[in-house]
Amino acid sequence: MTQVLMTRNKAKRSSGDMPIYKSYALHNYRNIPQIQRLPEELLFDIEVVAQVFPFKANSYVINELIRWDDVPNDPMFKLTFPQRDMLLPHHYERIASLLKRQADKSELNEAVNQIRIELNPHPAGQMEYNVPLFNGMRLTGLQHKYSQTVLFFPSQGQTCHAYCSFCFRWPQFVGMDEYKFAMKETELLIDYLRAHPEVTDLLFTGGDPMIMSTRVFENYINALLEANLPHLRTIRLGTKALSFWPYKFLHGDDADRLLAVLRRIVESGKHLAIMAHFSHPRELSTRAVRKAIRRLRSIGAQIRTQSPILRHINDDADVWARMWQRQVELGCVPYYMFVVRDTGAQHYFGVPLARAWQIFHDAYMQVSGLARTVRGPSMSATPGKIQVSGITEIHGEKVFVLTMLQARKPELVLKPFFAKYNEDALWIDELEPAFAEKFIFEN
Ligand SMILES: *Cc1c(COP(=O)(O)O)cnc(C)c1O
Ligand code: SF4
């Protein structure tokens, strides 16, 4: 902790090493002591880019994750604070000139909204295809794409501890209300699950459901457990809290109460799966995260880990190998490596599929079988999760071997298919089928 935060927080500190949560966004980030030491051009870049991509950081990320000596190159800094190149040059120039001449709010908002719409805020047909209909109602807080798993977007979990601009959820954070998936009524969720006995997994997602206070979260869990749904075998929590605020699971009343709620899930006989988002081994290195992992495991939760592969952050095989190895040591199960989606700052974070596969391969060969539970690189696309399984040559033609790990048409899973090799393609829509007229999901 820096001197300034230390003195300000000392009086309010609770027991042990639990720091006070302080959150920063565009309106107050210049109060961060480490930021004040950065050159003014860098701060102006942050200001410009943050108009389009909102950002948020907290005292843990600032004081324990970012290595300020390495800024601006530090990966945790790049993950948290907007970077100039996240905007295309003409978008950057447009916003920068509006700020320089102190244009009025409405003019700025108009430009910002136009840019956001150009950045494909709703990839993979989430709005059109995945929101279920139930008794004539569109359940906008649910998505049900693969038969066994329902995604639930609790309305109080529609924000995050920090925002990542590669995230397909970014429209949820920027006040584009019509895009907001949210559902208040737990009752509707339960009725829906009752009517769908094929569902084994309910995945709480967001934003980040672990940003809710435990009092709110507890209501959802109590209602689900009381509803007595024997086919519901697993409750999954998709969260970045272990990386960005592990204290959520450590000391204090809210944390103790949360652990008690989570323990009740396990004691009810259901599997509790924490789907933890870790993008860099640094996020596994602090005392706080290690304690939080130990505490969650002690009540019987299983932590599985996933992250996109991101240029400037983790596009390096050694980084992934180290990350998976540490996860196994800590008792976590490596689960997915995702390809960054066709939304937001893909042009900044995107890694071509060919390179992503090479990195996956080179990392995989460095770890033992215990870490080879991980699958990827995988694209969550409209037809399903498409894995790049390999690059090979067949009858003299260089191709990608692709496999669906999840499919809107379930019978397509695990059937290999081929695409012409393309060194630069970032996403499935930039690939062409090989040895066939169409991809298998297009029939
Ligand atoms: C990834 C995903 C799931 C969960 O898939 P698993 O392979 O079971 O982890 C569920 N629904 C949607 C829409 C998804 O993208
Ligand atoms: S949902 Fe995950 S990836 Fe998206 S902004 Fe939140 S922490 Fe980042």
Side-chain angles (χ1 to χ4, degrees):
M1 290 225 115
T2 65
Q3 226 37 52
V4 174
L5 284 176
M6 223 22 167
T7 40
R8 191 177 302 149
N9 290 337
K10 204 177 268 170
K12 290 192 284 175
R13 279 191 157 214
S14 56
S15 63
D17 51 0
M18 169 90 177
I20 299 290
Y21 187 86
K22 272 180 82 76
S23 176
Y24 296 92
L26 182 57
H27 69 280
N28 65 348
Y29 79 104
R30 283 182 187 247
N31 300 340
I32 302 169
Q34 293 95 327
I35 280 282
Q36 288 163 4
R37 284 181 231 127
L38 298 179
E40 188 54 41
E41 308 96 74
L42 203 63
L43 299 188
F44 183 69
D45 288 346
I46 292 176
E47 206 124 340
V48 172
V49 178
Q51 305 295 327
V52 178
F53 298 116
F55 76 99
K56 205 161 97 175
N58 66 44
S59 37
Y60 173 76
V61 175
I62 289 164
N63 295 313
E64 301 190 48
L65 290 187
I66 295 174
R67 286 203 188 131
W68 289 92
D69 301 346
D70 289 341
V71 168
N73 294 321
D74 181 69
M76 291 293 106
F77 175 76
K78 289 183 173 173
L79 188 61
T80 317
F81 288 92
Q83 304 294 310
R84 180 183 175 125
D85 295 339
M86 286 181 189
L87 285 181
L88 297 170
H90 66 286
H91 288 157
Y92 179 92
E93 290 309 330
R94 185 163 172 206
I95 301 292
S97 73
L98 288 168
L99 289 185
K100 277 185 191 142
R101 67 172 165 82
Q102 300 181 319
D104 62 44
K105 261 244 155 322
S106 65
E107 200 180 348
L108 184 61
N109 285 344
E110 196 185 312
V112 164
N113 278 329
Q114 274 175 13
I115 292 172
R116 284 179 182 162
I117 284 164
E118 286 178 37
L119 295 173
N120 188 21
H122 268 278
Q126 291 182 82
M127 288 299 281
E128 306 88 87
Y129 303 117
N130 299 338
V131 173
L133 273 176
F134 187 63
N135 296 339
M137 241 180 310
R138 291 183 82 232
L139 302 184
T140 51
L142 295 188
Q143 283 187 41
H144 192 186
K145 181 170 177 180
Y146 309 126
S147 62
Q148 297 83 4
T149 304
V150 164
L151 308 191
F152 177 47
F153 297 76
S155 47
Q156 294 90 341
Q158 295 314 297
T159 183
C160 282
H161 285 288
Y163 301 153
C164 315
S165 45
F166 60 80
C167 176
F168 70 97
R169 299 192 167 100
W170 63 272
Q172 283 161 247
F173 311 140
V174 295
M176 297 170 92
D177 274 349
E178 68 269 42
Y179 290 143
K180 215 162 175 167
F181 303 107
M183 187 167 80
K184 286 213 162 65
E185 299 86 349
T186 323
E187 257 174 58
L188 273 178
L189 166 67
I190 289 170
D191 289 347
Y192 184 81
L193 291 175
R194 221 186 278 293
H196 287 270
E198 76 279 16
V199 174
T200 56
D201 292 30
L202 177 65
L203 170 55
F204 280 76
T205 180
D208 193 327
M210 289 292 95
I211 210 150
M212 274 187 260
S213 74
T214 301
R215 278 169 197 283
V216 174
F217 178 67
E218 184 169 46
N219 292 331
Y220 290 114
I221 297 300
N222 288 346
L224 277 166
L225 295 183
E226 279 160 24
N228 185 27
L229 301 163
H231 60 286
L232 184 68
R233 302 311 308 144
T234 296
I235 293 185
R236 303 200 209 177
L237 305 175
T239 183
K240 184 89 195 167
L242 277 169
S243 320
F244 282 169
W245 188 249
Y247 300 107
K248 174 77 185 168
F249 306 101
L250 296 175
H251 320 282
D253 293 346
D254 186 80
D256 292 346
R257 197 163 169 165
L258 176 59
L259 268 285
V261 176
L262 298 180
R263 191 194 291 272
R264 282 211 299 284
I265 297 176
V266 176
E267 284 171 356
S268 78
K270 298 191 195 300
H271 176 46
L272 172 60
I274 311 284
M275 313 304 293
H277 177 173
F278 288 108
S279 302
H280 194 278
R282 179 96 50 83
E283 297 168 318
L284 294 155
S285 67
T286 68
R287 270 186 45 174
V289 70
R290 288 166 177 252
K291 275 171 80 172
I293 290 172
R294 224 177 299 135
R295 197 165 189 216
L296 282 168
R297 293 190 62 228
S298 76
I299 59 142
Q302 177 61 62
I303 301 164
R304 290 181 180 76
T305 59
Q306 53 195 27
S307 171
I309 177 165
L310 302 162
R311 193 151 63 95
H312 304 292
I313 311 288
N314 63 17
D315 57 336
D316 176 330
D318 295 347
V319 166
W320 282 89
R322 231 182 316 136
M323 183 159 72
W324 293 334
Q325 178 60 39
R326 281 200 190 157
Q327 288 166 355
V328 169
E329 284 160 27
L330 294 167
C332 305
V333 179
Y335 189 60
Y336 272 130
M337 174 203 272
F338 291 117
V339 177
V340 82
R341 303 179 70 125
D342 47 346
T343 181
Q346 190 203 32
H347 50 90
Y348 180 81
F349 289 113
V351 177
L353 297 169
R355 209 170 148 245
W357 181 79
Q358 196 62 52
I359 289 169
F360 185 89
H361 170 272
D362 294 352
Y364 197 85
M365 69 183 207
Q366 295 179 47
V367 293
S368 90
L370 295 186
R372 293 186 187 184
T373 47
V374 66
R375 290 165 305 158
S378 168
M379 288 170 270
S380 295
T382 308
K385 281 189 169 61
I386 303 171
Q387 180 188 34
V388 180
S389 309
I391 296 170
T392 191
E393 216 170 276
I394 297 177
H395 295 307
E397 185 172 350
K398 196 170 183 185
V399 291
F400 286 113
V401 184
L402 305 172
T403 315
M404 310 218 34
L405 298 172
Q406 287 286 1
R408 198 177 284 287
K409 295 183 196 149
E411 67 277 14
L412 297 182
V413 294
L414 291 188
K415 292 188 176 162
F417 61 105
F418 304 94
K420 291 183 180 147
Y421 182 75
N422 175 340
E423 193 175 341
D424 304 318
L426 292 161
W427 197 252
I428 183 73
D429 61 1
E430 293 162 40
L431 295 181
E432 282 176 47
F435 317 122
E437 294 284 298
K438 293 179 177 176
F439 286 126
I440 54 172
F441 51 79
E442 290 174 320
N443 293 320

